[in-house]
């Protein structure tokens, strides 16, 4: 059983009200494993035919046509299959497919993935862009570059350059992108099921510190965004300090405008507009909270913003 | 990293055609060399709209392969790209050998295959799995460690 800290329980009761009981079960319950089919290595219908022939019992993720999850327990390790070796499939949590689906990069565009390793979302975006245009996949930690490069390689990505920089350095770089993904480093409280230690190390202070870094990364993202360009900000944390508070900052201090997010067939909640005596911009409600009890996924937060 | 000019790319293409019979295989890509000019990378051309000189670049595009002792040693993905156009130096594995190959073992081929000093492309049905060196009738496995699978699921 997971030991939730009193401060955690208290804040989630505030956040969720009566739903806390459902949430506390859902956040530690294993969810169906999911993956993407990688259209850079094969045609969608051919890959699907192949998986069907092998008897994989799967169903499509409602909001993303290349995302799938298993409908029955399987007796094999997805990472050990020929399809995985060939890069025809990529193991990825359903909720983690949302940010690229919302950013919707197109062939020919220039895209920055500011915090990219291990590259789940970079490879997804490269596929959406059909290996055209260009992606800068940036990662600060040298130790995480190998997995990023390995995933780009296995997926057959041709339109990406990997850079190793502190994302905050983009604040003073003179270059412009059509779209920026900031899948920010966070305390990860949406992923307790997969990484139980998260709940042991998490504290309000940790979220506050993270929030400061995230704001600096938002400044970088805004600097390199073209006028009219789109920023998707996401975290796998459900703490308001790391989520709506930063969206409030992006609106009020960075002058970004919010856009509504629509995910067909997938239940989401509106972003909150006040937390612990702080009022956030009412537009922050256009961001989405993904709760584990709603779709049987990880917890996630996603916001879509436009630079005027 | 250095971008090859058209002439240099043609020299590479000729080498590939000579070994595998695949024609004009690199035309659609920008080709780059790195390391001691022995590592080959390919990327889509539009990528170079990005002013790379302003960034701390770690890698560009897809690792295509390298020149190893004068021989072209393709990556798994490089083999996949060339395989689509290849007309020779391709060895096909049956189901039983497929699993052994992916686990990194050498393969004893039952049937005689034409001798070559070059790396051969290894395939199973329509899937290109990478490359191997032929020694007599033995396929010397050349899968990178990171790509080997410990246990396989059919
Ligand atoms: C949530 S993870 C990104 C996951 C990735 N987008 C994916 O989908 O596979 C955040 C990443 O940001 C990196 N990071 C942390 N601080 C950073 C900074 N200041 N600049 C750039 N990257 C940073 C972390 O090392 C980590 O790999």
């Amino acid at each position: 059983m997971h030991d939730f800290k009193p401060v955690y329980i208290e804040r989630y009761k505030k956040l969720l009200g009566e739903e806390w009981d459902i949430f506390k079960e859902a956040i530690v319950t294993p969810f169906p494993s999911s993956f993407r089919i990688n259209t850079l290595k094969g045609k969608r219908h051919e890959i699907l035919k192949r998986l069907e022939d092998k008897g994989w019992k799967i169903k499509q993720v409602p909001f993303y046509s290349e995302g799938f999850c298993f409908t029955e327990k399987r007796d094999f390790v997805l990472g050990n299959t020929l399809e995985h070796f060939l890069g025809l499939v990529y193991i990825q949590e359903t909720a983690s497919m949302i940010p690229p689906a919302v950013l919707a990069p197109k062939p020919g565009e220039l895209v920055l993935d500011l915090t990219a390793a291990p590259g789940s979302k970079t490879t997804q975006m490269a596929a959406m862009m059909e290996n055209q245009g260009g992606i800068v996949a940036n990662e600060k930690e040298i130790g995480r570059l190998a997995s990023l490069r390995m995933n780009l390689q296995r997926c057959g990505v041709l339109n990406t350059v990997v850079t190793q920089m502190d994302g905050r350095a983009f604040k003073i770089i003179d270059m412009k992108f059509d779209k920026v993904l900031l899948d920010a480093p966070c305390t990860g409280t949406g992923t307790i099921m997969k990484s139980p230690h998260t709940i042991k190390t998490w504290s309000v202070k940790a979220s506050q510190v993270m929030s400061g870094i995230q704001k600096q990364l938002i400044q970088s993202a805004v600097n390199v965004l073209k006028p009219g360009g789109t920023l998707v900000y996401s975290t796998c944390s459900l703490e308001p300090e790391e989520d709506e508070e930063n969206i409030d900052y992006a609106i009020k201090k960075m002058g970004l405008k919010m856009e509504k997010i629509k995910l067909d067939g997938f239940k989401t909640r509106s972003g909150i507009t006040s937390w612990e005596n702080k009022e956030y911009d009412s537009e922050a409600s256009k961001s989405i909270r993904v709760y584990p009890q709603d779709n049987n996924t990880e917890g996630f937060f996603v916001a879509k913003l436009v630079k005027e | 990293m250095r971008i090859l000019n058209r002439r240099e790319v043609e020299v590479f293409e000729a080498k590939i055609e000579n070994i595998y019979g695949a024609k004009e295989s690199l035309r659609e890509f920008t080709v780059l060399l790195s390391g001691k000019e022995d590592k080959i990378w390919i990327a889509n051309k539009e990528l170079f709209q990005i002013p790379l000189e302003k960034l701390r670049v770690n890698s560009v595009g897809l690792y295509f392969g390298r020149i190893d002792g004068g021989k072209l040693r393709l990556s798994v993905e490089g083999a996949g790209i060339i395989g689509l156009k290849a007309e020779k130096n391709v060895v096909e594995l049956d189901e039983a050998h497929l699993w052994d190959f992916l686990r990194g073992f050498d393969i004893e081929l039952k049937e005689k295959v034409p001798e070559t000093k070059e790396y051969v492309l290894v395939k199973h049905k329509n899937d290109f799995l990478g490359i191997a060196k032929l020694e007599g009738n033995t396929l010397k496995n050349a899968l990178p460690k990171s790509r080997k699978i410990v246990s396989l699921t059919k």
Side-chain angles (χ1 to χ4, degrees):
Chain A
M1 195 48 214
H2 291 265
D3 275 335
F4 297 116
K5 293 179 182 175
V7 50
Y8 178 92
I9 298 174
E10 194 192 320
R11 70 168 26 210
Y12 275 79
K13 280 186 174 168
K14 239 187 258 170
L15 211 48
L16 295 151
E18 286 175 356
E19 267 193 272
W20 158 250
D21 283 331
I22 305 169
F23 175 89
K24 88 174 176 217
E25 290 293 318
I27 193 83
V28 296
T29 305
F31 37 81
S33 58
S34 53
F35 63 92
R36 265 189 306 111
I37 56 171
N38 173 29
T39 47
L40 298 179
K41 282 288 191 86
K43 294 199 169 68
R44 183 178 188 276
H45 68 276
E46 285 170 7
I47 303 174
L48 283 179
K49 170 86 175 61
R50 186 174 173 141
L51 304 186
E52 192 185 303
D53 289 349
K54 294 190 102 182
W56 292 20
K57 298 276 179 284
I58 56 175
K59 71 163 195 271
Q60 197 205 295
V61 165
F63 61 87
Y64 188 61
S65 61
E66 272 76 44
F68 291 84
C69 58
F70 285 92
T71 53
E72 286 175 18
K73 231 179 136 42
R74 69 206 138 84
D75 57 358
F76 59 90
V77 179
L78 193 48
N80 286 347
T81 57
L82 174 59
E83 286 66 28
H84 186 267
F85 171 90
L86 293 168
L88 297 171
V89 299
Y90 185 100
I91 301 166
Q92 187 173 347
E93 221 283 295
T94 302
S96 148
M97 299 175 198
I98 299 172
V102 170
L103 189 62
K106 295 191 181 57
E109 289 181 333
L110 293 185
V111 177
L112 170 64
D113 189 348
L114 197 52
T115 51
S120 303
K121 299 179 189 72
T122 320
T123 51
Q124 184 180 350
M125 294 196 291
M128 295 172 83
M129 293 163 75
E130 298 167 21
N131 255 341
Q132 295 168 44
I135 303 178
V136 172
N138 179 66
E139 169 60 43
K140 182 178 87 160
E141 300 296 333
I142 193 157
R144 290 174 63 91
L145 288 179
S147 57
L148 171 59
R149 283 173 55 163
M150 181 70 213
N151 285 328
L152 291 169
Q153 179 74 22
R154 194 172 51 83
C155 289
V157 174
L158 288 161
N159 69 344
T160 297
V161 39
V162 173
T163 60
Q164 194 222 331
M165 294 163 60
D166 189 319
R168 291 172 285 191
F170 282 83
K171 195 182 163 185
I172 49 163
I173 286 184
D174 175 25
M175 61 194 293
K176 294 287 178 242
F177 294 89
D178 299 298
K179 289 177 176 164
V180 177
L181 175 65
L182 173 50
D183 185 40
C186 66
T187 59
T189 52
T191 65
I192 296 171
M193 199 288 288
K194 260 191 346 207
S195 10
H197 70 275
T198 304
I199 201 59
K200 295 204 183 77
T201 52
W202 176 83
S203 64
V204 175
K205 180 86 194 140
S207 280
Q208 287 165 343
V209 170
M210 216 34 120
S211 182
I213 298 167
Q214 290 158 343
K215 287 187 186 68
Q216 291 177 307
L217 289 168
I218 290 175
Q219 293 173 4
S220 284
V222 175
N223 176 55
V224 292
L225 203 54
K226 283 182 189 164
T230 307
L231 164 68
V232 165
Y233 175 86
S234 57
T235 71
C236 59
S237 166
L238 294 169
E239 310 316 308
E241 294 85 346
E242 300 176 58
D243 296 337
E244 288 90 346
E245 180 184 309
N246 289 338
I247 298 312
D248 179 66
Y249 173 84
I251 297 169
K252 288 186 187 146
K253 297 279 174 11
M254 306 303 299
L256 298 187
K257 291 271 178 291
M258 288 295 284
E259 286 208 347
K260 238 181 136 53
I261 295 174
K262 216 171 141 311
L263 296 176
D264 287 333
F266 195 80
K267 185 170 175 190
T268 59
R269 317 284 181 112
S270 302
I272 61 170
T273 52
S274 65
W275 179 246
E276 314 218 303
N277 306 323
K278 280 189 192 163
E279 291 296 320
Y280 301 144
D281 195 293
S282 62
E283 284 284 290
S285 64
K286 287 184 179 163
S287 45
I288 58 168
R289 296 189 147 251
V290 175
Y291 286 148
Q293 67 266 36
D294 288 344
N295 311 280
N296 226 339
T297 65
E298 272 179 5
F300 235 85
F301 174 86
V302 186
K304 183 180 185 186
L305 304 120
V306 174
K307 180 170 169 177
E308 298 236 291
Chain B
M1 276 233 166
R2 180 171 77 82
I3 295 181
L4 299 192
N5 63 34
R6 212 194 136 124
R7 185 74 210 100
E8 290 172 304
V9 173
E10 281 170 7
V11 171
F12 256 117
E13 282 187 330
K15 190 174 173 75
I16 292 167
E17 183 170 352
N18 191 21
I19 306 170
Y20 301 113
K23 291 191 180 67
E24 299 184 357
S25 50
L26 297 174
R27 213 134 287 195
E28 62 184 292
F29 308 115
T30 295
V31 183
L32 305 100
L33 287 186
S34 78
K36 293 188 191 106
E37 298 251 309
D38 58 350
K39 292 204 167 121
I40 310 155
W41 303 76
I42 55 174
N44 72 321
K45 294 189 172 156
E46 286 173 342
L47 180 58
F48 298 88
Q49 298 165 43
I50 297 171
L52 298 181
E53 68 287 350
K54 293 183 183 171
L55 303 169
R56 187 159 166 224
V57 173
N58 182 269
S59 71
V60 181
L62 188 77
Y63 176 55
F64 181 72
R66 66 186 157 100
I67 303 297
D68 179 14
K71 301 285 177 239
L72 178 63
R73 186 174 175 147
L74 294 171
S75 65
V76 174
E77 280 63 40
I81 291 168
I82 298 307
L84 295 175
K85 296 180 169 181
E87 288 170 355
K88 55 181 175 174
N89 282 331
V90 179
V91 173
E92 192 158 355
L93 299 182
D94 60 20
E95 193 85 4
H97 280 153
L98 162 72
W99 312 124
D100 285 341
F101 184 83
L102 294 181
R103 281 189 293 171
F105 296 131
D106 294 342
I107 309 284
E108 286 299 329
L109 298 168
K110 288 178 218 100
E111 277 157 43
K112 191 120 194 71
V113 284
E115 258 177 54
T116 172
K117 294 250 172 311
E118 303 291 346
Y119 284 93
V120 294
L121 304 179
V122 181
K123 75 178 227 175
H124 167 70
K125 295 185 181 160
N126 290 323
D127 300 327
F128 283 87
L129 310 170
I131 50 143
K133 203 72 185 256
L134 258 183
E135 275 180 19
N137 252 24
T138 306
L139 270 187
K140 299 299 252 182
N141 203 308
L143 267 189
K145 219 180 179 167
S146 57
R147 288 302 275 270
K148 288 176 192 166
I149 322 188
V150 196
S151 71
L152 269 175
T153 311
K154 298 193 185 188

